[in-house]
Amino acid sequence: MNRREDALIAREAAISARESELVTLFSELLKEKKLLESQQIQLENQISTVARKNNPPAPPPTSTPRTAAKKPHNTSKNTSTSQNKAVKDDITILGGLEYVYLDPPGINLSARIDTGAQTSSLNALDMVEFERDGKPYIKFNIIDPETKEKLELTRRIRGYTKIKKHKTESQRRPIVQLRVKLGNLDEQISFTLIDRSKFDQQVLIGRNFLRDLAVVDVSKEFTKPKTTPNTKQ
């Protein structure tokens, strides 16, 4: 019994001595922390002093007398109004559907006018690509809306565009150039060839034809008459 009590007393003495060591160590750590903080403050003050010496504050700006702003003459306002009116007069207003004249093949087709499409597209059936004089060409058919017969066209391929559809592989579509006449507009533009058989319009006119030339009022349709080969633009 006495041995057990002696062992417990010795163990308590050891624990007490260990606690005393930990308290002393913690006190030393606090002193070290305060010393480091003091040194950091001194260093920051030295850096701030050197910075002020190397970059003296800029002198206050000298005040300059204000001059009264001149009011614009009425002639300038009238000129600006005239210019804006001239710009509006140059822009053609088109409806959501219009007749476009394609050359070749020299026929009028009903077209969807879509400002959301970057490039125009054309219905193309039975497409066959080949080379002529080392350059890529494509042969395809479109439908004559009057006779419902196929019209064959051959055009040089100017490039390709890739179309990615949901859950399907990307499709590479050829691009060709055709001349388009619509009202007083006459432009040669690029068309992406695509099977548009499921659409009512064989042609979709995009921004590559409309940009800087026309605006679209979707509440209107067929605002321009059909173009004929003898129509002077």
Side-chain angles (χ1 to χ4, degrees):
M1 189 69 179
N2 292 333
R3 290 181 180 179
R4 183 178 295 179
E5 290 179 354
D6 292 341
L8 289 174
I9 292 172
R11 189 172 182 180
E12 289 177 355
I15 292 173
S16 178
R18 185 62 177 169
E19 289 177 348
S20 179
E21 291 177 359
L22 291 174
V23 170
T24 302
L25 180 60
F26 182 71
S27 178
E28 291 177 354
L29 288 174
L30 288 177
K31 291 180 181 179
E32 290 290 337
K33 180 182 178 183
K34 291 181 179 179
L35 179 61
L36 290 173
E37 290 176 349
S38 176
Q39 291 176 350
Q40 183 177 0
I41 293 173
Q42 292 178 0
L43 180 60
E44 290 176 352
N45 291 337
Q46 291 176 359
I47 293 174
S48 178
T49 302
V50 172
R52 285 197 299 269
K53 289 181 179 180
N54 294 334
N55 300 286
T62 57
S63 59
T64 56
R66 296 183 179 179
T67 57
K70 296 182 179 180
K71 295 183 179 180
H73 297 291
N74 292 333
T75 53
S76 175
K77 183 178 180 180
N78 294 336
T79 302
S80 177
T81 303
S82 300
Q83 290 176 347
N84 292 336
K85 186 177 184 301
V87 171
K88 293 180 180 179
D89 291 341
D90 291 339
I91 297 296
T92 301
I93 299 177
L94 302 176
L97 297 176
E98 295 287 353
Y99 289 112
V100 296
Y101 182 84
L102 295 187
D103 183 20
I107 60 174
N108 285 281
L109 296 175
S110 174
R112 168 72 62 183
I113 312 299
D114 187 0
T115 58
Q118 171 63 35
T119 306
S120 303
S121 61
L122 173 65
N123 182 42
L125 307 175
D126 313 317
M127 290 183 281
V128 177
E129 297 185 27
F130 63 96
E131 283 192 5
R132 178 184 294 172
D133 299 329
K135 297 178 181 179
Y137 280 79
I138 187 169
K139 180 171 60 176
F140 60 96
N141 293 319
I142 63 175
I143 304 298
D144 187 332
E146 300 292 336
T147 63
K148 306 302 179 182
E149 296 179 354
K150 291 183 177 180
L151 298 176
E152 185 178 277
L153 294 178
T154 300
R155 304 299 293 170
R156 181 180 170 185
I157 297 175
R158 301 294 178 172
Y160 292 89
T161 183
K162 284 188 176 181
I163 305 298
K164 177 64 176 178
K165 292 187 176 181
H166 184 58
K167 295 183 179 181
T168 61
E169 295 183 358
S170 59
Q171 300 178 354
R172 193 178 74 154
R173 297 173 179 172
I175 299 174
V176 301
Q177 288 187 345
L178 294 168
R179 181 166 295 280
V180 181
K181 296 181 181 180
L182 172 53
N184 60 343
L185 305 178
D186 186 347
E187 298 287 329
Q188 181 164 312
I189 63 171
S190 296
F191 281 92
T192 300
L193 298 184
I194 176 177
D195 186 349
R196 292 179 56 87
S197 301
K198 61 181 180 180
F199 298 104
D200 294 332
Q201 286 74 36
Q202 294 192 73
V203 181
L204 183 141
I205 296 295
R207 295 196 303 274
N208 64 329
F209 178 80
L210 303 171
R211 186 183 296 113
D212 300 327
L213 298 177
V215 295
V216 181
D217 183 349
V218 294
S219 65
K220 299 179 180 180
E221 293 183 356
F222 304 111
T223 64
K224 309 299 178 185
K226 292 183 178 180
T227 301
T228 61
N230 295 327
T231 301
K232 294 182 179 180
Q233 301 298 325

